[in-house]
Every structure is written in C-alpha cells, then in structure tokens.
C-alpha cells in the first residue's frame, strides 16, 4: 500500500490582488506566436502591446512608485510583431526580444519613468526567417537559445556573425524551448508531436520521444532531470505530464486539466504554473522526485481571460508572509498579480526555512566561451532569509503599500476605471498581494468572497469559433470593393445568397448563391449594375430575392434577383426611392412590417419609405451631425439612432418627427453602431472614447438622459465594431473591418452587464462578418450562430459552438424558442395606421432528439486505462509480478495500519487554526 509524504504546500492559497493593485491602462496584444506575451524580473515587467502592429513592448515597474501608481511606458522594438522576450537572469535591465522581422535585439532598459533607448544595444540577424523564441542561458552570461520556425540556434552575443550551434532541424513548427536548470541540456517540443533533449555542445542526435496526440505542446525543465510537458490527450482534454529526461520511454505521472481550446503554457519554480491563453484558470502543481511525482496544489479561477502569465523571481517575494510564489496575469487591459501563500502560524514574524531553500543568485557562473568549451560551473545560490539576501535587490521600503487596506471586491478586469462597478466572481479574490504589490488579506472579506463565488457566470464563456470545411467556401473572388463606407457592413447575406460590392466602375454588385460553393471561374460573372457607388445595402428579410441599395446619388434602388441567381447583368431596378438631398449613410428594413424601409443621410434627416407605394411617409429631424447608426426596436415600435453630435436618440416615428428621448453617447467622433438588446429594454452602442479606444456602452431604453449604465473598453483599432446580437442567448458578437479578432460577450440586464466569452481569431484580417438565420445552426453540434466571413478573395462560413459533453441530447438550456423573423407580421400600411404585432416562435429541437433536461440520470462510471498503458515496455516476468501484486493489494490486509497513521509532513502546530 502506497504511503506518500504530505506536502507542505498542500494548503497553498492563491490570492488575486485587489483592483487598485493592478497595472491598468495597458492594451495587451493578442498575436499568433509561440513565445511568451509577458515576462518579469525583480524590478520590471515587459509585455506585448497592440501598438505598431505588435512591434512595441510595454514596460512597467514591478512595484508602484512613491505615489502608489505604476509607470507604464512603451519601447519601440521591431518592424513586425514581437514573438518572444526574456530578461537576463544576471542583469535586471537587460531584455532580449525576437520578432517576425527575423531579428533578435538586446535592450538596456531604463526605469519606466525615464525615456527608453531608441536603439538596441545589440542586433542579431540569423537570416533563417521568422524567429519565435529567445531564452537566456541560466548559468552563462551572453548566451542565448533562439528558436526559428523549425530549428534551435545557440548564440554567443559577443560573436554576432554566426551561431555557436545549429541544432537538429525539426520536421514541423518548433513550439517551445527550455534550458535545464544547470544549463547543460536544452529541450524542445514540436508540432510533429516529438519531445527532444539536446546536448548543444556535443551536437549529437538528440534523445526523442513521441508525444502521441499532443500536436500543440509546451515543455519545461523543473527540478533535477525532470521535464514537464503540456498538450492534449486522446479525448482532447488538456494534460500535464512529467518525464525523466534520462528515460523518455514513458512519463512518470500525468494530470488532466479538462477541456479548453487554448494551448497550455508552463512556468516553473518550486511550484509550477500552467495556464491556457484565452482561458480563465491558472493551475498550480508541485513536482517531486519521488511518488506521487506530480500533484495539483491549487486551481485559481480568474475574472477575465488570460493573454499570458509571468512568474516573479523568488528574490522579489515577501517571504515573511509565507508567500511562496507570485505570478502576473496579463489580460487585455491590465496586469493582475496573483500571490500564493502557505498558511502558517507566526506568519509575518518568523522565516520558515523549510519553505525557502536557497535560490539561484544573480551572478553568472562563467562566460559563454567557457561554457562552450565544456565548463559546467553552477550559479552560486543565495539565501532568501531577509537578513542574508542581497540588499541591493530589495525594493525600497517606502514603495510597500499599507498592509491594512484589505481586499477589494470592485469591478472585474473586463471593466475599465470609467465603467460601472462589476463585482468580482473569482473564488480566489480574497486578498491583495503581500509581496509589495498589494496589501495582505483582510478577514472581513471572506463573506464577500463567498458571495462573489455565487455570482453570475456565462454558460457561453468557452464558446468556440471555427471555420467550416473548405467545401463550403466560395473562393477565387475577384475585384471586390474592400473600402466601403464605415456605416456599411461591407457585404450582406441571407439564407440563400450573398451580395458583395465590386471595385468596378458603375457601382456593380456581385451575387453569389450559397447553394453553389467552390472556386469561381476566372471569367467575369453577371452582376447588378447600380450605376453609382454603393453606400449601403440590405436584403429584404421577408423576400430573399429583393436587395435594397443606397447610392452616392441620394437614391435608393430596389433590385429583384431571379430564382437560381443572376443569369445576366441587371441594369433596371424594380423601384427607385428619391427624397434625400445628399448621400445616404445607411438603410434598414422594418423587423415586422413588410415593405417598410428607413434611411439616414448626409442631409441630417432620417426618412421612412413605404415600398408598396414607393413614397416617403415620414421624415425625422433633430440630428445636428452625421448619423452613425440606426436600429429598430424588436417590437418595431421605436427607432434608435447614434449620432456624431455625441447623442443617442429614440424616436416613435408614428407619433412624432422629433426624438422621444435623447442622451449622451460615446465621446469619440470616429464612428458608432447601435443595437437593441435584452428584449428591447436596453440599447448597446459600440463606439470610441475621447482617446479613440473602442468600447461598448449600455443604456436603459427608459432613461437615455441618464447616460450609459455600464461600459467597457475593448481595444484600440481604427475600424468601428459591428455588432451582431442573438436575442435567444443575449450573446453579442463584434468585429471591425480589417480586424483579425472577433469579440464575444453575453449581455445581462444587471451587474456585471458584460460577461466576456472566448474570442475567435481569424488567420488574416477579414473584411466583414455577416450572420445567417438561427435555423442555419446545427443544433447537434451546439452551434448558436453561423456567420460568413469575407476576405480578399473568399467567403468562409464560421460556426460558433458551445462545448457540451452530451451532444446526443438537444441542449434546451441553450436553444430557447426562436422568432420566425423571416415572415412578416403585418404590412407597411397596417403599421403606419397604428397596428402592432409580434413574431411567432418555433422550437429548433429535431423530432428525433431528446432534450437534455429530460435525459435520464446516469450513475458515474469510473474509467480505467487499458492495461497496456501500465504494462508498456515491461518484461513478461515484470507483468506477472505486477498483476500478482495488484490482486493481493485488492484483497487487502486488515492488519495493516491506516495510511493516515504514517503520514509525515509539517507539524500540526505549524498550521493555522
């Protein structure tokens, strides 16, 4: 019977810092690269930013200044995205960066309050394409490991002309590199599912092991000869494995982390941290050289999705408060410290030596040349005892915050300081960080922590976007007009066809049938010849053949597309609407009444048109500048507008030509969109603030004059976020023309109002994203939305799915009855005369599916791995002995003492009562 020694870290508690201890007002980048997005040393924090296309690095001090504020500055590094960065373990102001511009640069940094250098101290140009990783050597000064797309390089920074070593070429994308603690070996993981261990100085064929299903894996040296890897198991669950580098035939231990679309990343110390980009969980593990080898210490749920995590060096910890680890979580808009404490009596009064073995110092053991010649000197270790550690490395005492300020339960990182308060929902947010970032915990906050644990969480938080099979794509599209006005969505779709403007003279519009995907012929195709440039266009929701097109000549033309698509070029519209005196901004069909259209124009008017009579029936006034966006309420009674004059307005067109309500809108003048949400009780506006940051603003439809009740800042980009709102799920999907990221939120009519979900990233900038009716969703795959994504030459369907285990059942908690909005409820004349109505609703449940709420309850079944896993690579004699031992152990021995009778570990009086 196995008896394992109890871990002294078993009760380690993660504590998320209070909000005034976060490093705010950053704009973190989210780029596709293999390296780290954030790194820290005892003094500085460096992280990816969105500025300059990702070629800049943000810098901040590790601790606040004397005024309690962090200083954040920018360093212009590369002409392309920064793919990785690393601080020197021996010089706290030396930062290495690598980039897609094929260079490695070394920067001698200044304090964030001072101006940063405009040029690097050293530039290395390997000439092997895009660089993905850079790592300083752990014991030798001036030595770097650099990862190209498929090959690790070893560089001596004193010899810039050529690398010391070019290691074995990998057969696929190199995904991670890690030095052994003593610097003798280098490990790599690759997309070819192989784990390799190199001796760079011997340059022999490396030890290698297949990682089987781990096509996306990361690797990290821990203690002695042990390696950690992350990846996915056969069931696509994230998994952490521990290996002995001297014997890679099989792993020593493994831990499953559950499902996630993100690739796990690792950071190592006495404790090891694992996270996935885009996820909201940070896991902590302890690695030991004896059984059980790998054990999970904590599972920290964060308030917002993670872009990266950095581990703070041991010399920066507050050891007197039993802080054993501190990590920095990078989010879209802030950096959040998370501190890990071991509860001990006399914490703050005594130094607990058993928690803090000596750690690596900051003096290199040897120069690069000596290491290359075979030197194996080790970095001298230093004590973490406050009376023995290097004094120069400690932060000034005056920068330590007041420890009596307690924990904050203020707004989530999803909200900026200007947004409405959003209560934290992290079960770990019970105190600040005591290592100089934040105050120590306040016991009075425990009740609030429990309350926050019970707060709302979105069932769509792990939504996954995926481009559908190539067979459904429309490709080889030519001559597209990709510079449509900001008020136009770029293209429009219905369930049968797609309309895309062309850059050909005469305002031509191409029509593509969705039933005929594939590669388009090189020859020209029939089009709609609109005569003037297209300003905006929209399909009639009740007639999939009718297309309304607004032009530069202040006219609206109605076109009728024949069944089966265009067979010849159309030159004569079905109807022309005239009335506006200047160019039209946008047009929208009424959601309930057939033959009713609204338009806005540069003449500062909004006009309603009856398509049955071809006449203007209403003219709405009150706008003092450009109308950015218009939107009908779900019941079709009201019309909302957002204007460049900084106002949001609601009209009741049948009763008055003046606004019914008016309130302050977004401050930025660059563009905005508006949509009704939460059964028409609220208005959501996407726009810009005074600093040109994109944001979302939520208004109560009953009190516009009170201003936004909540807002969040999203990111920085010149294009307006175009919203798509699903009334069945309250999920809103937003992206801008030219973006690569699609933002997703669930909107709720109470705090926290905005609940961020996982984002979708396209491989290249898209020119538009338009959505199909809910009936196009495959409910068997739990799709809640299906959109069409326009690029330069293709249209690709994108499905947004909610991960569920029991897909054989209809997920009735996700699919409420949906409105049949493609059928009119009344005519334009009836609506104008005062009639109202509402759409009927239908269920999306197939007849042969059972609702998950009615699924039979099954008893949990314990799953066992096949015996071949345990008996792999063992002799027949070993197999017989193990089988016999297992049978004896299963019978048990009543005379054996209980396991807990022989546990060893920390003495009872060491634990808090």
């Amino acid at each position: 019977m196995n008896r394992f020694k109890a871990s002294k870290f078993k009760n380690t508690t993660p504590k998320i810092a209070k909000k005034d201890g976060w490093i705010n007002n950053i704009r973190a980048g989210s780029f596709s690269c293999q390296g780290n997005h954030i790194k820290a040393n005892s003094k500085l924090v460096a992280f990816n930013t969105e500025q300059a296309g990702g070629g800049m690095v943000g810098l901040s001090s590790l601790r606040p200044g004397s005024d309690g504020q962090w200083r954040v500055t920018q360093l212009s590094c590369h002409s392309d995205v920064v793919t990785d960065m690393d601080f020197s373990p021996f010089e706290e102001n030396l930062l290495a960066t690598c980039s897609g511009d094929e260079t490695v640069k070394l920067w001698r940094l200044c304090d964030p309050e001072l101006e940063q250098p405009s040029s690097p101290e050293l530039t290395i140009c390997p000439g092997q394409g895009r660089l993905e990783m850079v790592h300083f050597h752990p014991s030798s000064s001036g030595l770097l490991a650099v990862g190209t797309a498929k090959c690790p390089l070893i560089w001596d920074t004193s010899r810039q002309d050529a690398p010391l070593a070019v290691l074995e070429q990998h057969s696929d994308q190199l995904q991670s590199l890690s030095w052994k603690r003593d610097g003798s070996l280098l490990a790599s993981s690759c997309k070819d599912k192989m784990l390799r261990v190199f001796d760079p100085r011997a340059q022999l064929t490396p030890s290698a092991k297949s990682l089987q299903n781990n096509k996306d894996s990361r690797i990290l040296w821990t203690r002695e000869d042990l390696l950690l890897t992350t990846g996915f198991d056969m069931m696509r669950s994230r998994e952490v494995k521990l290996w002995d580098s001297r014997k890679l035939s099989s792993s020593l231990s493994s831990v499953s982390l559950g499902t996630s679309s993100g690739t796990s990343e690792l950071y190592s110390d006495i404790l090891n941290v694992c996270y996935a980009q885009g996820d909201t969980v940070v896991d902590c593990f302890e690695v030991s050289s004896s059984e059980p080898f790998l054990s999970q210490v904590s599972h920290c749920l964060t308030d917002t999705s993670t872009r990266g995590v950095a581990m703070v060096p041991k010399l920066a910890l507050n050891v007197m408060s039993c802080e054993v680890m501190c990590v920095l979580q990078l989010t879209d808009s802030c950096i959040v410290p998370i501190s890990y404490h071991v509860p001990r009596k006399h914490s703050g009064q005594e130094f607990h030596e058993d928690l803090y073995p000596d750690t690596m110092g900051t003096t290199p053991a040897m120069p690069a040349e000596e290491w290359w010649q075979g030197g194996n000197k080790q970095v001298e270790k230093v004590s973490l005892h406050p009376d023995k550690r290097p004094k120069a490395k400690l932060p000034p005492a005056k920068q330590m915050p007041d420890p009596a300020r307690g924990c904050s339960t203020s707004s989530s990182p999803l909200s900026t300081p200007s947004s409405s308060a959003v209560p934290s929902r992290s079960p770990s947010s019970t105190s600040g960080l005591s290592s100089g970032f934040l105050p120590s915990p306040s016991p009075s906050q425990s009740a609030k922590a429990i309350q926050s644990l019970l707060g709302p969480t979105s069932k769509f938080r792990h939504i996954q976007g995926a481009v559908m099979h190539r067979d459904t794509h429309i490709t080889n599209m030519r001559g597209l007009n990709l510079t449509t006005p900001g008020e136009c969505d770029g293209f429009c779709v219905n369930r049968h066809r797609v309309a895309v403007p062309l850059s050909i003279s005469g305002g031509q519009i191409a029509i593509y049938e969705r039933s005929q995907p594939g590669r388009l012929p090189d020859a020209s195709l029939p089009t709609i010849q609109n005569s003037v440039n297209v300003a905006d266009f929209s399909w009639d929701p009740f007639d999939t053949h009718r297309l309304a097109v607004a032009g530069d000549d202040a006219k609206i033309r109605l076109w009728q597309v024949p069944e089966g698509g265009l067979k010849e070029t159309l030159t004569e519209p079905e109807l022309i609407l005239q009335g506006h005196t200047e160019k039209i901004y946008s047009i929208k069909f009424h959601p309930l009444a057939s033959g009713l259209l609204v338009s806005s124009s540069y003449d500062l008017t909004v006009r309603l048109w009856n398509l049955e009579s071809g006449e203007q029936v209403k003219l709405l006034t009150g706008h003092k500048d450009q109308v950015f966006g218009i939107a009908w309420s779900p019941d079709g009674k009201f019309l909302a507008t957002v204007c460049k004059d900084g106002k949001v307005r609601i009209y009741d067109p049948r009763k008055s030509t003046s606004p019914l309500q008016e309130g302050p809108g977004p401050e930025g003048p660059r563009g905005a969109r508006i949509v009704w949400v939460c059964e028409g009780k609220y208005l959501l506006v996407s726009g810009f603030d005074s600093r040109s940051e994109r944001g979302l603003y939520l208004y109560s439809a009953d009190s516009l004059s009170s201003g936004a009740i909540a807002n969040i800042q999203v990111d920085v980009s010149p294009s307006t976020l175009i919203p798509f709102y699903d009334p069945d799920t309250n999920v809103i999907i937003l992206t801008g023309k030219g973006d690569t990221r699609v933002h997703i939120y669930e909107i709720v009519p109470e705090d926290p109002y905005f609940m961020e979900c996982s984002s979708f990233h396209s491989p290249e900038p898209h020119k538009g994203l338009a959505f199909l009716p809910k009936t196009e969703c495959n409910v068997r795959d739990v799709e809640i939305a299906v959109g069409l994504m326009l690029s330069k030459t293709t249209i690709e369907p994108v499905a947004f799915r909610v991960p569920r285990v029991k897909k054989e059942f209809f997920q009735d908690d996700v699919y409420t009855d949906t409105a049949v909005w493609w059928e009119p409820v009344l005519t334009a004349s009836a609506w104008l005369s005062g009639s109202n109505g509402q759409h009927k609703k239908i269920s999306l449940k197939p007849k042969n599916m059972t609702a998950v709420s009615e699924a039979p309850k099954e008893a949990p079944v314990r799953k066992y791995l096949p015996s071949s896993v345990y008996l792999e690579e063992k002799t027949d004699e070993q197999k017989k002995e193990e089988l016999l031992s297992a049978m004896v152990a299963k019978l048990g021995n009543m005379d054996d003492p209980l396991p807990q009778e022989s546990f060893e570990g920390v003495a009872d009086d060491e634990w808090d009562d």
Side-chain angles (χ1 to χ4, degrees):
M1 186 176 293
N2 292 327
R3 301 182 181 95
F4 302 133
K5 183 177 179 179
S7 170
K8 59 188 143 202
F9 300 106
K10 67 177 182 179
N11 290 333
T12 299
T13 306
K15 301 175 182 179
I16 298 179
K18 59 181 289 186
K19 190 172 182 180
D20 63 2
W22 298 351
I23 303 175
N24 289 303
N25 300 321
I26 69 171
R27 295 193 290 271
S30 180
F31 306 102
S32 177
C33 59
Q34 304 299 326
N36 296 296
H37 292 286
I38 180 171
K39 278 294 183 73
N41 62 15
S42 298
K43 181 180 178 181
L44 299 170
V45 182
F47 53 91
N48 279 109
T49 69
E50 290 185 337
Q51 283 90 336
M56 299 185 76
V57 167
L59 292 173
S60 173
S61 56
L62 190 61
R63 293 177 175 80
S66 56
D67 58 356
Q69 300 296 316
W70 275 268
R71 302 290 183 266
V72 179
T73 186
Q74 308 290 334
L75 177 67
S76 181
C77 295
H78 295 271
S79 60
D80 201 347
V81 61
V82 176
T83 52
D84 197 13
M85 63 194 81
D86 196 22
F87 280 104
S88 168
F90 312 118
E91 298 181 75
E92 62 184 7
N93 288 333
L94 187 62
L95 176 71
T97 61
C98 66
S99 169
D101 65 7
E102 305 181 16
T103 64
V104 176
K105 296 182 180 181
L106 269 62
W107 303 87
R108 188 72 59 178
L109 305 177
C110 306
D111 291 339
E113 294 88 350
L114 304 176
E115 184 177 353
Q116 298 301 321
S118 58
S119 58
E121 185 171 271
L122 175 69
T123 300
I124 299 173
C125 303
Q128 296 199 29
R130 177 185 171 104
L131 304 179
E132 291 287 355
M133 283 153 279
V134 60
H135 295 277
F136 277 101
H137 193 274
S139 62
S140 174
S141 60
L143 198 63
L144 293 171
V146 178
T148 68
K150 294 185 178 181
C151 181
L153 311 175
I154 309 299
W155 279 86
D156 180 353
T157 56
S158 64
R159 298 170 49 187
Q160 302 178 40
D161 52 339
L164 289 175
V166 179
L167 304 184
E168 181 185 72
Q169 185 88 359
H170 295 54
S171 61
D172 206 337
Q173 174 69 55
L174 185 65
Q175 293 183 316
S176 65
L177 294 173
S178 180
W179 285 106
K180 190 177 179 181
R181 294 291 184 87
D182 62 8
S184 60
L185 300 175
L186 182 71
S188 72
S189 66
C190 178
K191 206 169 184 178
D192 63 6
K193 308 179 186 178
M194 295 297 293
L195 158 63
R196 296 172 174 86
V197 178
F198 297 86
D199 182 348
R201 293 172 292 189
Q203 297 195 46
L204 301 174
T205 302
S207 303
K209 169 65 180 177
S210 172
L211 296 178
Q212 298 179 357
N213 298 290
N214 291 341
K215 193 173 183 179
D216 295 304
S217 61
R218 297 294 185 268
I219 190 169
L220 186 69
W221 284 96
T222 58
R223 55 195 305 170
E224 289 107 28
D225 294 290
L226 300 181
L227 279 165
L228 274 179
T229 61
T230 66
F232 297 90
D233 62 17
M234 296 182 66
M235 303 303 294
R236 294 302 294 170
S237 292
R238 290 194 295 128
E239 187 179 50
V240 176
K241 283 189 174 183
L242 185 67
W243 306 78
D244 186 338
S245 62
R246 299 163 298 183
K247 184 182 178 183
L248 295 176
S249 56
S250 60
S251 62
L252 298 175
S253 181
S254 65
V255 175
S256 178
L257 303 180
T259 58
S260 174
S261 59
T263 301
S264 299
E265 305 281 351
L266 287 163
Y267 275 89
S268 176
D269 205 76
I270 292 177
L271 299 178
N272 302 271
V273 168
C274 180
Y275 72 96
Q277 291 184 23
D279 210 344
T280 55
V281 170
V282 177
D283 291 293
C284 179
F285 299 88
E286 182 184 8
V287 173
S288 62
S289 54
S290 59
E291 291 186 57
F293 296 115
L294 185 63
S295 56
Q296 188 163 0
V297 173
S298 71
H299 181 78
C300 180
L301 179 64
T302 61
D303 289 319
T304 188
S305 57
T306 302
R307 296 292 163 221
V309 165
M311 184 174 286
V312 175
K314 297 296 289 295
L315 289 171
L317 300 181
N318 187 342
V319 296
M320 296 304 293
S321 68
C322 295
E323 183 187 40
V324 293
M325 185 171 65
C326 174
V327 298
L328 304 178
Q329 179 205 15
L330 177 67
T331 72
D332 287 338
S333 59
C334 60
I335 296 174
V336 182
I338 305 174
S339 177
Y340 291 76
H341 292 256
V342 174
R344 289 286 179 91
K345 282 187 175 181
H346 313 299
S347 175
Q349 303 173 15
E350 298 179 2
F351 176 73
H352 296 261
E353 293 185 2
D354 61 316
L355 294 180
Y356 301 104
D358 291 350
T359 191
M360 294 292 184
T362 56
T363 303
M366 54 190 157
E369 184 177 356
E370 182 179 344
W371 175 85
W372 182 245
Q373 296 300 325
N376 286 310
K377 294 179 181 178
Q378 300 302 302
V379 174
E380 183 179 353
K381 292 189 175 183
V382 297
S383 173
L384 291 174
H385 194 289
D387 296 334
K388 299 178 182 179
R389 68 167 68 183
K391 301 296 182 182
K393 298 299 181 182
L394 285 176
K398 66 180 181 179
Q399 294 184 358
M400 302 289 284
D402 180 7
R405 294 176 64 184
C407 165
S408 168
T409 55
S410 60
S411 64
S412 160
L414 297 179
S415 301
T416 63
S418 62
S419 65
S420 299
V422 180
S424 171
R425 298 183 302 283
S426 170
S428 327
S429 326
T430 56
S431 78
L433 201 65
S434 58
S435 64
F437 289 100
L438 288 187
S440 57
S442 170
S444 63
Q445 301 299 321
S446 58
K448 291 183 179 179
I450 295 173
Q451 182 179 3
S452 69
L453 180 62
L454 302 177
T457 57
S458 173
K459 70 181 75 172
F460 308 104
R461 63 188 301 184
H462 296 302
I463 189 172
Q464 300 170 354
V467 177
M468 298 175 72
H469 194 273
R470 187 173 177 83
D471 289 348
T472 62
H473 299 186
I474 299 175
T475 62
N476 197 37
M477 299 166 62
R478 300 186 176 193
L480 304 186
N481 180 6
L482 303 177
T483 59
T484 51
E487 294 75 29
C488 177
D489 291 350
F491 75 126
C492 61
V493 306
N494 61 31
R495 70 179 69 186
H496 296 305
R497 49 192 59 89
V498 182
V500 183
L502 302 178
S503 57
I504 306 170
S505 61
Q508 296 190 45
I509 301 171
I511 304 295
Y512 304 114
E513 297 295 308
R514 290 194 59 236
S515 60
Q516 302 171 17
R519 178 182 174 86
L520 297 174
D522 294 336
S524 59
L525 298 172
T527 62
I528 293 176
Q529 194 160 346
N530 195 60
S531 302
V532 296
N533 290 336
V534 176
D536 194 19
F537 54 163
S538 177
W539 289 106
D540 188 331
F542 312 123
D543 184 352
T544 58
H545 298 279
R546 176 188 270 179
L547 180 69
V549 182
D552 285 348
D553 59 354
K555 297 178 182 179
I556 301 173
R557 294 169 174 81
L558 279 299
W559 299 90
Q560 193 73 21
V561 178
E563 187 70 36
L566 295 179
K567 300 298 188 293
E568 57 184 6
T569 296
L570 298 184
T571 57
E572 293 296 328
E574 177 187 49
L575 178 66
I576 298 179
L577 305 176
Q578 300 185 59
H580 283 295
T581 59
E582 294 189 43
K583 177 183 173 180
I584 296 171
Y585 297 129
S586 56
I587 55 176
K588 290 284 187 299
F589 279 94
H590 194 275
L592 292 134
S594 62
L596 193 64
L597 185 73
V598 65
S599 62
S600 63
S601 165
Y602 275 84
D603 60 17
L604 307 185
T605 65
V606 175
R607 303 176 188 238
L608 269 68
W609 307 87
N610 184 347
L611 304 186
E612 297 172 358
S613 62
E615 297 176 349
Q616 173 187 308
V617 291
K618 298 288 180 181
L619 189 150
L620 309 181
T621 60
H623 299 95
K624 300 175 182 177
D625 209 327
Q626 178 182 354
V627 180
F628 284 143
I630 54 179
W632 286 105
S633 62
D635 59 11
K637 296 179 181 179
F638 304 104
L639 183 72
T641 68
V642 57
C643 183
K644 192 176 181 179
D645 61 11
K647 298 291 184 181
V648 177
R649 298 175 173 87
I650 293 179
Y651 290 83
D652 186 342
R654 292 179 291 187
K655 293 183 179 179
S656 174
T657 60
S658 300
L660 185 67
Q661 286 191 71
E662 187 175 284
E667 298 177 4
R670 301 183 63 174
R673 294 297 181 91
I674 190 168
V675 64
W676 296 77
V677 298
C678 299
E679 299 179 340
K681 297 176 181 178
Y682 295 88
L683 283 166
L684 181 74
V685 176
S686 67
F688 295 84
D689 65 10
S690 57
R691 297 177 299 176
S692 295
E693 293 186 4
R694 296 196 296 191
L696 303 179
Y697 305 82
L698 191 67
Y699 298 83
S700 171
D702 295 329
S703 56
L704 282 187
S705 59
S706 301
I709 61 174
N711 67 14
I712 59 170
Q713 300 311 117
V714 178
D715 58 11
V716 177
S717 182
S719 60
T720 305
L721 285 170
I722 302 171
F724 163 77
Y725 175 69
D726 178 19
D728 300 340
T729 59
N730 286 332
V731 167
I732 191 158
I733 302 175
L734 309 104
T735 192
K737 289 184 284 187
D739 287 3
T740 57
R741 182 178 179 184
V742 178
H743 304 269
I744 306 174
Y745 297 88
E746 182 182 0
I747 309 299
V748 292
E750 57 189 12
D751 283 343
Y753 296 107
F754 300 98
M755 291 195 286
E756 186 178 18
C757 304
S758 299
S759 300
F760 167 72
H761 294 265
S762 58
E764 62 180 32
H766 47 258
K767 308 305 177 183
L769 182 63
F771 286 82
L772 299 170
K774 197 67 173 282
T775 50
E776 297 296 307
C777 296
N778 184 352
V779 299
R780 299 181 188 276
D781 281 338
V782 202
E783 295 176 356
I784 64 167
V786 176
L788 299 182
M789 184 171 63
L790 176 68
S791 68
K792 292 181 180 179
T793 59
T794 64
I795 293 176
E796 303 172 357
V798 180
F800 294 87
R801 305 182 178 105
V802 179
R804 287 294 172 94
V805 176
K806 298 182 178 181
K807 288 187 178 181
E808 66 271 21
F809 296 103
F810 177 73
Q811 310 295 316
D812 51 348
D813 62 321
V814 172
Y815 297 107
T816 60
D817 289 353
T818 191
V820 186
W821 56 261
W822 51 92
E823 295 180 2
V825 176
L826 62 167
T827 64
S829 300
W831 182 86
L832 290 168
S833 64
S835 298
N836 293 310
Q838 61 181 10
H839 288 296
K840 66 178 182 181
K841 293 190 174 184
I842 59 171
S843 172
L844 296 176
K845 187 175 81 72
K847 294 181 179 180
N848 59 350
M849 288 187 76
T850 303
V852 70
S853 61
E854 301 171 359
K857 305 298 181 182
E858 297 179 0
V861 178
R862 186 175 179 182
K863 296 181 179 180
Y864 294 89
L865 292 173
S867 59
S868 59
V869 174
Y870 301 102
L871 304 179
E872 184 182 7
E873 299 181 5
K874 296 176 182 176
T875 64
D876 291 341
E877 192 64 27
Q878 286 176 319
K879 294 177 184 179
K880 291 178 182 179
E881 289 180 4
E882 288 190 5
L883 286 172
L884 183 59
S885 299
M887 293 173 66
V888 173
K890 191 171 183 180
L891 293 174
N893 190 337
M894 300 301 294
D895 296 328
D896 284 346
L898 295 174
Q900 56 265 36
E901 294 177 8
S902 58
F903 275 179
E904 299 177 16
V906 178
D908 291 339
D909 60 1
E910 281 293 305
W911 299 102
D912 283 340
D913 294 332

